[in-house]
């Protein structure tokens, strides 16, 4: 639901264009992808390194998952997904597994350090 005027000053502008729309969520070690199920339109594609926080499946908000990601369109934004039928815990666990696998991949192949040329 749209926020009250005082909350808008704290939270910023809300985009409810896709509110209530069924989506297909794809989670991998490289990205989290949201696609409108009916028209196959990509709603968001966030690379894992752009996601700074994810939470969900808590008892008081058992049907919701939220994550914060930065992208060129929305800058930093909180994305909230409603996951009926107890799926929120599965979704947040899968996001956590993707982060863990990505980190393990990083440890196996860390980027090479670039050192400044000797003077």
């Amino acid at each position: 639901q749209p926020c009250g005027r005082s909350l808008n000053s704290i939270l910023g502008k809300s985009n409810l264009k896709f509110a209530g729309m069924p989506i297909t969520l794809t989670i991998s070690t490289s990205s989290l992808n949201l696609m409108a199920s009916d028209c196959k339109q990509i709603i968001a594609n966030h690379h894992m390194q752009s996601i700074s926080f994810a939470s969900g499946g808590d008892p008081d908000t058992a049907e919701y998952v939220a994550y914060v990601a930065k992208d060129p369109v929305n800058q930093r934004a909180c994305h909230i997904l409603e996951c009926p039928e107890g799926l929120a815990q599965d979704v947040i666990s899968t996001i956590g597994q993707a982060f863990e696998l990505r980190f393990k991949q990083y440890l196996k192949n860390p980027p090479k350090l670039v050192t400044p040329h000797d003077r």
Side-chain angles (χ1 to χ4, degrees):
Q1 293 182 5
C3 297
R5 182 170 281 230
S6 61
L7 275 180
N8 278 342
S9 64
I10 297 168
L11 299 175
K13 191 168 83 174
S14 295
N15 178 352
L16 301 175
K17 179 178 179 182
F18 301 103
M21 180 180 290
I23 63 160
T24 301
L25 171 64
T26 306
I27 302 167
S28 71
T29 58
S30 59
S31 67
L32 192 149
N33 187 53
L34 304 173
M35 181 175 59
S37 296
D38 55 354
C39 64
K40 307 297 184 208
Q41 176 186 355
I42 299 292
I43 297 170
N45 185 24
H46 294 114
H47 295 283
M48 281 300 188
Q49 66 265 27
S50 74
I51 299 173
S52 56
F53 176 81
S55 180
D58 298 328
D60 56 335
T61 54
E63 292 191 348
Y64 294 92
V65 168
Y67 70 94
V68 175
K70 187 172 186 178
D71 65 48
V73 175
N74 298 307
Q75 298 302 315
R76 191 168 308 278
C78 179
H79 303 270
I80 301 169
L81 309 174
E82 184 177 6
C83 306
E85 301 172 15
L87 290 176
Q89 190 60 52
D90 292 340
V91 169
I92 199 65
S93 293
T94 304
I95 293 171
Q97 289 170 353
F99 274 117
E100 186 176 347
L101 288 171
R102 183 175 177 84
F103 183 65
K104 286 179 180 178
Q105 289 171 349
Y106 170 82
L107 292 177
K108 284 183 180 178
N109 297 312
K112 294 181 181 181
L113 292 175
V114 178
T115 57
H117 296 287
D118 294 334
R119 292 184 185 180

